[in-house]
Amino acid sequence: ATQDELKQQVGYKAVDDYVKSGMVVGLGTGSTAYFAVERLGQKLASGELKDIVAIPTSVRTKEQAEELKIPLVTLDTHSKLDVAIDGADEVDPDLNLVKGGGGALLREKMVEVCADKFIVIVDESKLCDGLGPGFPLPVEITPFCHEHTLRLIANLPTTKGCEAILRMGSSSTNKPDGDEIAVTDNGNYIVDLHFKEPIKDAPKMAMELKNTVGVVDHGLFCGMTTAVIIAGSDGITVKEA
Ligand code: DER
Protein backbone atom coordinates (compact mmCIF):
# COMPACT_ATOMS: atom_id res chain seq x y z
CA ALA A 1 0.00 0.00 0.00
CA THR A 2 1.19 3.53 -0.66
CA GLN A 3 1.77 5.87 2.27
CA ASP A 4 -1.40 7.74 1.32
CA GLU A 5 -3.39 4.48 1.39
CA LEU A 6 -1.97 3.74 4.86
CA LYS A 7 -2.98 7.24 6.04
CA GLN A 8 -6.46 6.77 4.60
CA GLN A 9 -6.83 3.38 6.33
CA VAL A 10 -6.09 4.78 9.79
CA GLY A 11 -8.00 8.00 9.20
CA TYR A 12 -11.13 6.13 8.20
CA LYS A 13 -10.76 3.54 10.97
CA ALA A 14 -10.50 6.23 13.65
CA VAL A 15 -13.87 7.67 12.60
CA ASP A 16 -15.49 4.26 12.08
CA ASP A 17 -14.39 2.97 15.49
CA TYR A 18 -14.60 6.04 17.73
CA VAL A 19 -17.19 8.51 16.37
CA LYS A 20 -20.86 7.95 17.22
CA SER A 21 -23.91 10.11 16.40
CA GLY A 22 -24.41 13.02 18.74
CA MET A 23 -20.70 13.46 19.53
CA VAL A 24 -18.54 16.59 19.70
CA VAL A 25 -15.44 15.74 17.62
CA GLY A 26 -12.02 17.43 17.46
CA LEU A 27 -10.59 17.47 13.94
CA GLY A 28 -6.80 17.28 13.65
CA THR A 29 -4.47 18.84 11.10
CA GLY A 30 -2.13 17.27 8.56
CA SER A 31 -2.14 14.76 5.73
CA THR A 32 -3.35 11.86 7.90
CA ALA A 33 -6.02 13.78 9.82
CA TYR A 34 -7.21 14.91 6.37
CA PHE A 35 -8.64 11.41 5.82
CA ALA A 36 -10.44 11.35 9.17
CA VAL A 37 -12.13 14.63 8.24
CA GLU A 38 -12.99 13.21 4.82
CA ARG A 39 -14.53 10.08 6.39
CA LEU A 40 -16.61 12.15 8.83
CA GLY A 41 -17.95 14.20 5.93
CA GLN A 42 -18.84 11.02 4.02
CA LYS A 43 -20.74 9.48 6.96
CA LEU A 44 -22.66 12.69 7.68
CA ALA A 45 -23.61 12.95 3.99
CA SER A 46 -24.76 9.31 3.90
CA GLY A 47 -26.72 9.67 7.15
CA GLU A 48 -24.67 6.95 8.90
CA LEU A 49 -23.72 9.64 11.44
CA LYS A 50 -26.09 12.33 12.72
CA ASP A 51 -26.05 15.30 15.12
CA ILE A 52 -22.27 15.71 15.05
CA VAL A 53 -20.55 19.01 15.75
CA ALA A 54 -16.82 19.33 15.14
CA ILE A 55 -14.00 21.62 16.28
CA PRO A 56 -11.16 22.17 13.76
CA THR A 57 -7.53 22.56 14.91
CA SER A 58 -6.40 24.85 12.08
CA VAL A 59 -7.69 27.19 9.41
CA ARG A 60 -6.96 24.59 6.71
CA THR A 61 -8.90 21.89 8.58
CA LYS A 62 -11.76 24.37 9.10
CA GLU A 63 -11.81 25.00 5.35
CA GLN A 64 -11.80 21.29 4.52
CA ALA A 65 -14.62 20.67 7.02
CA GLU A 66 -16.67 23.57 5.62
CA GLU A 67 -16.35 22.15 2.11
CA LEU A 68 -17.63 18.83 3.47
CA LYS A 69 -20.56 20.59 5.22
CA ILE A 70 -19.46 19.33 8.65
CA PRO A 71 -21.20 21.48 11.29
CA LEU A 72 -18.49 23.44 13.16
CA VAL A 73 -18.39 24.92 16.67
CA THR A 74 -15.58 26.23 18.90
CA LEU A 75 -14.27 25.55 22.39
CA ASP A 76 -16.09 28.72 23.53
CA THR A 77 -19.42 26.93 23.26
CA HIS A 78 -18.19 23.31 23.53
CA SER A 79 -15.21 22.96 25.86
CA LYS A 80 -15.80 19.24 26.42
CA LEU A 81 -15.29 16.95 23.44
CA ASP A 82 -16.11 13.24 23.21
CA VAL A 83 -13.19 12.43 20.93
CA ALA A 84 -10.38 14.16 19.04
CA ILE A 85 -8.54 12.53 16.13
CA ASP A 86 -5.14 13.73 14.91
CA GLY A 87 -1.84 12.69 13.40
CA ALA A 88 1.62 12.95 14.92
CA ASP A 89 5.18 13.39 13.78
CA GLU A 90 6.61 10.90 16.29
CA VAL A 91 5.13 8.35 18.73
CA ASP A 92 7.32 6.83 21.48
CA PRO A 93 6.65 3.53 23.32
CA ASP A 94 4.76 5.41 26.08
CA LEU A 95 2.54 6.98 23.38
CA ASN A 96 4.03 10.41 24.08
CA LEU A 97 4.07 12.45 20.88
CA VAL A 98 5.94 15.06 18.95
CA LYS A 99 3.45 17.15 16.99
CA GLY A 100 3.53 20.46 15.18
CA GLY A 101 5.16 19.53 11.88
CA GLY A 102 2.16 21.18 10.27
CA GLY A 103 2.44 24.29 12.42
CA ALA A 104 -0.89 23.71 14.17
CA LEU A 105 0.32 22.55 17.58
CA LEU A 106 -1.30 25.28 19.70
CA ARG A 107 -4.88 24.83 18.47
CA GLU A 108 -4.35 21.05 18.33
CA LYS A 109 -3.25 20.94 21.96
CA MET A 110 -6.00 23.34 23.12
CA VAL A 111 -8.65 21.11 21.49
CA GLU A 112 -7.11 17.74 22.30
CA VAL A 113 -6.66 18.36 26.03
CA CYS A 114 -10.44 18.93 26.16
CA ALA A 115 -11.32 15.55 24.60
CA ASP A 116 -12.40 12.52 26.63
CA LYS A 117 -10.56 10.37 24.09
CA PHE A 118 -7.56 11.44 21.98
CA ILE A 119 -7.03 9.04 19.07
CA VAL A 120 -3.73 9.34 17.21
CA ILE A 121 -3.48 8.11 13.63
CA VAL A 122 -0.13 7.37 12.07
CA ASP A 123 1.64 5.27 9.49
CA GLU A 124 4.35 3.11 10.99
CA SER A 125 7.13 5.51 9.92
CA LYS A 126 6.15 7.74 12.88
CA LEU A 127 6.99 5.14 15.57
CA CYS A 128 10.28 5.72 17.42
CA ASP A 129 12.14 4.42 20.49
CA GLY A 130 12.73 7.94 21.80
CA LEU A 131 11.38 11.34 20.78
CA GLY A 132 13.70 13.84 19.16
CA PRO A 133 16.24 12.61 16.62
CA GLY A 134 13.57 11.46 14.17
CA PHE A 135 11.74 14.79 13.98
CA PRO A 136 12.64 18.28 15.24
CA LEU A 137 10.51 19.49 18.16
CA PRO A 138 8.38 22.52 17.15
CA VAL A 139 8.01 25.33 19.73
CA GLU A 140 5.53 28.17 19.10
CA ILE A 141 6.88 31.54 20.30
CA THR A 142 5.72 35.16 20.22
CA PRO A 143 7.29 37.23 17.43
CA PHE A 144 8.52 39.94 19.84
CA CYS A 145 12.31 39.49 20.27
CA HIS A 146 12.11 36.03 18.74
CA GLU A 147 15.91 35.68 18.43
CA HIS A 148 16.14 36.22 22.20
CA THR A 149 13.48 33.57 22.89
CA LEU A 150 15.14 31.20 20.43
CA ARG A 151 18.37 31.46 22.42
CA LEU A 152 16.52 30.85 25.71
CA ILE A 153 14.78 27.66 24.53
CA ALA A 154 17.98 26.29 23.01
CA ASN A 155 19.81 26.60 26.33
CA LEU A 156 17.50 25.06 28.91
CA PRO A 157 18.86 22.24 31.10
CA THR A 158 16.91 19.72 29.02
CA THR A 159 17.52 21.29 25.60
CA LYS A 160 21.18 22.35 25.87
CA GLY A 161 23.12 21.17 22.85
CA CYS A 162 20.18 21.13 20.47
CA GLU A 163 20.17 23.14 17.26
CA ALA A 164 17.33 25.70 17.22
CA ILE A 165 16.12 26.84 13.80
CA LEU A 166 13.48 29.51 13.15
CA ARG A 167 10.92 28.03 10.75
CA MET A 168 10.82 29.82 7.43
CA GLY A 169 8.37 29.69 4.53
CA SER A 170 4.90 28.23 5.14
CA SER A 171 4.09 27.33 8.75
CA SER A 172 4.09 23.67 7.78
CA THR A 173 7.38 21.80 7.58
CA ASN A 174 6.22 20.20 4.33
CA LYS A 175 7.06 23.45 2.56
CA PRO A 176 9.99 25.06 4.49
CA ASP A 177 10.92 27.12 1.46
CA GLY A 178 10.74 30.87 1.12
CA ASP A 179 12.67 33.65 2.84
CA GLU A 180 9.77 34.83 4.98
CA ILE A 181 9.43 33.72 8.61
CA ALA A 182 6.60 31.19 8.88
CA VAL A 183 3.57 32.55 10.78
CA THR A 184 1.05 30.26 12.49
CA ASP A 185 -2.76 30.64 12.47
CA ASN A 186 -2.30 32.50 15.75
CA GLY A 187 0.21 35.04 14.36
CA ASN A 188 3.19 33.43 16.11
CA TYR A 189 6.53 32.02 14.97
CA ILE A 190 7.86 28.47 15.30
CA VAL A 191 11.35 27.36 16.35
CA ASP A 192 12.26 23.76 15.51
CA LEU A 193 14.64 22.10 18.00
CA HIS A 194 16.90 19.46 16.43
CA PHE A 195 18.22 16.80 18.83
CA LYS A 196 20.96 14.27 18.08
CA GLU A 197 20.09 12.10 21.10
CA PRO A 198 16.63 10.90 22.21
CA ILE A 199 14.90 13.24 24.67
CA LYS A 200 15.48 11.63 28.09
CA ASP A 201 12.66 13.24 30.06
CA ALA A 202 9.94 14.62 27.78
CA PRO A 203 7.64 15.79 30.62
CA LYS A 204 10.56 17.72 32.19
CA MET A 205 11.45 19.34 28.85
CA ALA A 206 7.77 20.18 28.33
CA MET A 207 7.65 21.93 31.70
CA GLU A 208 10.90 23.87 31.08
CA LEU A 209 9.71 25.03 27.66
CA LYS A 210 6.30 26.07 28.96
CA ASN A 211 7.93 28.00 31.82
CA THR A 212 10.05 30.04 29.40
CA VAL A 213 8.57 33.54 28.98
CA GLY A 214 7.96 34.11 25.26
CA VAL A 215 7.04 30.50 24.58
CA VAL A 216 3.37 30.00 23.72
CA ASP A 217 3.44 26.17 23.62
CA HIS A 218 5.42 23.25 22.21
CA GLY A 219 4.98 20.02 20.29
CA LEU A 220 5.46 17.57 23.17
CA PHE A 221 2.06 15.95 23.79
CA CYS A 222 2.74 13.89 26.94
CA GLY A 223 0.24 11.64 28.72
CA MET A 224 -2.60 12.70 26.43
CA THR A 225 -2.97 9.74 24.06
CA THR A 226 -5.87 7.30 24.50
CA ALA A 227 -4.94 5.04 21.59
CA VAL A 228 -2.74 5.04 18.50
CA ILE A 229 -3.96 3.46 15.27
CA ILE A 230 -0.94 2.40 13.23
CA ALA A 231 -0.99 1.44 9.57
CA GLY A 232 1.91 -0.76 8.55
CA SER A 233 2.75 -2.81 5.50
CA ASP A 234 1.36 -5.88 7.31
CA GLY A 235 -1.93 -4.25 8.34
CA ILE A 236 -3.38 -2.03 11.04
CA THR A 237 -2.58 -2.30 14.77
CA VAL A 238 -4.04 -0.36 17.69
CA LYS A 239 -1.96 0.47 20.79
CA GLU A 240 -3.89 1.67 23.82
CA ALA A 241 -2.37 3.78 26.61
O1 DER B 1 1.33 19.30 12.66
C1 DER B 1 0.83 18.34 13.24
O2 DER B 1 0.79 18.22 14.48
C2 DER B 1 0.34 17.19 12.39
O3 DER B 1 -0.70 16.49 13.04
C3 DER B 1 1.53 16.28 12.18
O4 DER B 1 2.00 15.98 13.43
C4 DER B 1 1.18 15.01 11.42
O5 DER B 1 1.03 15.39 10.10
P1 DER B 1 1.00 14.28 8.96
O6 DER B 1 -0.19 13.39 9.29
O7 DER B 1 0.81 15.09 7.72
O8 DER B 1 2.30 13.55 9.01
Side-chain angles (χ1 to χ4, degrees):
T2 65
Q3 198 177 41
D4 248 19
E5 283 161 348
L6 296 180
K7 292 179 179 201
Q8 183 183 41
Q9 286 171 19
V10 292
Y12 279 33
K13 181 173 176 61
V15 173
D16 294 347
D17 291 3
Y18 292 93
V19 181
K20 306 283 176 273
S21 290
M23 282 191 169
V24 182
V25 183
L27 302 179
T29 296
S31 60
T32 312
Y34 174 91
F35 289 109
V37 176
E38 183 176 80
R39 182 65 167 164
L40 182 59
Q42 280 173 3
K43 296 186 85 165
L44 283 168
S46 71
E48 281 175 84
L49 284 173
K50 296 183 182 338
D51 306 321
I52 295 271
V53 289
I55 302 182
T57 55
S58 65
V59 169
R60 59 187 186 278
T61 293
K62 179 172 182 283
E63 287 166 354
Q64 181 195 4
E66 283 169 342
E67 269 167 43
L68 294 167
K69 311 244 183 302
I70 298 173
L72 297 179
V73 295
T74 72
L75 292 175
D76 289 344
T77 54
H78 294 73
S79 47
K80 198 173 171 320
L81 291 80
D82 298 291
V83 62
I85 301 170
D86 202 353
D89 297 298
E90 279 194 312
V91 183
D92 79 1
D94 299 324
L95 308 192
N96 288 325
L97 315 174
V98 165
K99 282 178 61 51
L105 68 93
L106 177 61
R107 297 191 184 190
E108 289 174 336
K109 196 179 278 189
M110 285 181 73
V111 170
E112 287 149 16
V113 295
C114 297
D116 286 348
K117 291 186 178 175
F118 176 35
I119 308 303
V120 178
I121 48 178
V122 294
D123 63 84
E124 61 189 350
S125 70
K126 307 297 187 63
L127 301 182
C128 65
D129 294 332
L131 301 177
F135 196 93
L137 174 63
V139 181
E140 184 155 344
I141 66 170
T142 47
F144 175 70
C145 290
H146 63 273
E147 293 296 342
H148 161 71
T149 304
L150 180 146
R151 285 195 299 272
L152 291 180
I153 62 178
N155 286 289
L156 296 167
T158 52
T159 62
K160 226 172 187 43
C162 79
E163 187 188 7
I165 299 174
L166 183 65
R167 192 178 293 184
M168 306 299 283
S170 73
S171 66
S172 160
T173 41
N174 325 61
K175 300 186 286 300
D177 53 359
D179 50 4
E180 297 285 307
I181 299 174
V183 179
T184 68
D185 288 347
N186 319 301
N188 297 319
Y189 294 167
I190 289 184
V191 174
D192 290 302
L193 303 182
H194 296 253
F195 294 97
K196 291 189 185 61
E197 300 298 321
I199 293 169
K200 288 186 190 55
D201 186 340
K204 185 161 184 281
M205 183 182 289
M207 188 265 297
E208 287 183 5
L209 285 167
K210 199 77 170 110
N211 287 346
T212 303
V213 179
V215 168
V216 179
D217 217 310
H218 54 79
L220 288 172
F221 285 45
C222 298
M224 291 173 54
T225 307
T226 304
V228 183
I229 305 178
I230 306 153
S233 40
D234 55 357
I236 292 184
T237 51
V238 179
K239 279 176 84 172
E240 296 190 344

